[in-house]
């Protein structure tokens, strides 16, 4: 809807581009309930259903469970974020 006519601009990145670029990378998925899941993003679909590998479940910042593979239904997802470093766990 913006009237800019720059087709060759490579600086614009859509959310879909971001999600494609983080497949296979460590991510944090925060649910509406406040629970965090950290692991490797295996794949996701248009409904934001997420498949993860090497998944860890964190409740109130504390590790509660470890799962090999996990599937998260998209309507429960608050956000997806890339992990900076796994070494930065302690404040």
């Amino acid at each position: 809807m913006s009237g800019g006519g720059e087709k060759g601009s490579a600086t614009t990145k859509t959310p879909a581009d971001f999600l494609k670029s983080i497949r296979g990378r460590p991510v944090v998925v925060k649910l509406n309930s406040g629970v965090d899941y950290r692991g490797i993003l295996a794949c996701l679909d248009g409904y934001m259903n997420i498949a993860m590998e090497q998944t860890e479940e964190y409740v109130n910042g504390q590790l509660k469970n470890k799962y090999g593979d996990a599937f998260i239904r998209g309507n429960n997802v608050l956000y997806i974020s890339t992990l900076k470093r796994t070494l930065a766990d302690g404040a």
Side-chain angles (χ1 to χ4, degrees):
M1 291 267 161
S2 65
E6 292 185 42
K7 287 184 178 178
S9 176
T11 59
T12 304
K13 193 170 189 181
T14 66
D17 294 333
F18 168 73
L19 293 172
K20 287 178 189 172
S21 73
I22 63 170
R23 281 185 53 191
R25 293 181 48 199
V27 295
V28 176
V29 176
K30 183 145 188 118
L31 303 187
N32 295 327
S33 64
V35 177
D36 289 352
Y37 288 90
R38 299 178 189 186
I40 308 298
L41 180 65
C43 63
L44 54 90
D45 65 11
Y47 295 101
M48 292 293 290
N49 295 318
I50 298 169
M52 297 176 67
E53 300 170 342
Q54 302 172 27
T55 310
E56 298 176 335
E57 178 183 48
Y58 288 84
V59 178
N60 297 324
Q62 300 247 340
L63 178 63
K64 291 294 178 185
N65 279 309
K66 290 187 178 187
Y67 306 103
D69 295 331
F71 181 82
I72 301 171
R73 187 174 165 152
N75 67 333
N76 295 313
V77 176
L78 183 61
Y79 67 78
I80 302 173
S81 174
T82 55
L83 270 176
K84 301 293 185 217
R85 303 247 165 159
T86 54
L87 299 176
D89 286 341

